[in-house]
Amino acid sequence: MREKILAVALAALLMPVPAAAEKLPLAELSRYLNSLTTAQAAFTQTNADGSQARGMLYIKRPGRARFEYAPPERSLVMVGGGQVAIFDSKSNQPPEQYPLRRTPLNLILAPQVDLSQAETVVGHQEVGDTTRVIAQDPGNPEYGTIELVFTANPTALRQWIITDDLGSQTRVELADLETGVDLSGFLFDITAERARQNR
């Protein structure tokens, strides 16, 4: 009986172990991000306080993005012309605006993404079946970080987590990502949106 137990144990040790998925190289991830000229996806946003919001995301690289929040939120975040504008549906005030370059989102909306640039990536690991990259502006680390989560075969962006200078995190999970879609530049025109809302 003892020999049988040993034989079973030895057989288990000799069984092939499934190979862990290798993390995607930074060059491949840079190539993929640079190929995302246009994209759209449904998103779920989880805020630092645990609250959630859903909506649609539109990206037109370089430098443009639009987050349309579904009811009851109904807010709108637009990125264009080097600015981020937050239109609050519950406020009569003009949108809050600040420079895109001061946000980690600038790293994936830049004209040319190069994750191999010195001190841009501060974390690069394989977790489960995903590759996770934590990136920052090497010249301004105080702007916070963005953690990008990718899957392979084919390479695809699944979510990102932005950590601000105070350590608060916002997670955006993507679903049904479509690339190469036809998107009007009007979607990203902050000035036109302000005029429309002021009518």
Side-chain angles (χ1 to χ4, degrees):
M1 184 66 177
R2 182 170 177 273
E3 289 77 8
K4 185 175 181 182
I5 293 172
L6 286 173
V8 170
L10 183 60
L13 288 172
L14 295 175
M15 285 179 66
V17 178
E22 291 186 13
K23 66 183 179 184
L24 294 165
L26 294 179
E28 163 60 17
L29 299 179
S30 297
R31 180 209 62 76
Y32 168 76
L33 291 172
N34 286 318
S35 75
L36 285 180
T37 52
T38 60
Q40 67 181 34
F43 73 87
T44 300
Q45 177 177 311
T46 304
N47 303 309
D49 62 2
S51 62
Q52 285 192 328
R54 290 178 170 79
M56 285 295 297
L57 164 67
Y58 304 91
I59 293 174
K60 191 168 189 176
R61 297 183 60 258
R64 288 168 287 181
R66 179 184 179 100
F67 296 80
E68 292 182 355
Y69 289 83
E73 188 65 29
R74 289 192 180 281
S75 293
L76 174 65
V77 176
M78 296 177 68
V79 183
Q83 295 287 308
V84 178
I86 301 173
F87 293 84
D88 185 349
S89 62
K90 302 177 180 130
S91 171
N92 293 323
Q93 299 301 312
E96 180 183 348
Q97 287 188 230
Y98 47 92
L100 172 61
R101 60 181 173 76
R102 294 185 64 88
T103 77
L105 200 57
N106 185 47
L107 291 165
I108 60 173
L109 294 177
Q112 191 67 28
V113 178
D114 183 4
L115 295 175
S116 65
Q117 181 182 347
E119 299 181 10
T120 296
V121 170
V122 294
H124 181 205
Q125 60 182 330
E126 181 265 327
V127 179
D129 61 352
T130 66
T131 296
R132 294 174 176 252
V133 172
I134 301 175
Q136 64 180 12
D137 180 341
N140 299 280
E142 69 276 11
Y143 292 169
T145 62
I146 184 167
E147 180 176 355
L148 304 168
V149 181
F150 301 89
T151 52
N153 302 317
T155 301
L157 177 63
R158 298 299 181 182
Q159 63 175 289
W160 65 72
I161 302 123
I162 290 179
T163 303
D164 67 18
D165 56 343
L166 299 177
S168 295
Q169 291 190 329
T170 303
R171 179 188 306 269
V172 174
E173 299 176 68
L174 306 179
D176 303 321
L177 179 69
E178 294 181 65
T179 61
V181 291
D182 186 18
L183 299 176
S184 167
F186 183 76
L187 288 172
F188 315 98
D189 189 329
I190 295 171
T191 302
E193 183 63 27
R194 287 185 65 171
R196 188 188 71 79
Q197 295 201 10
N198 286 334
R199 286 177 195 158

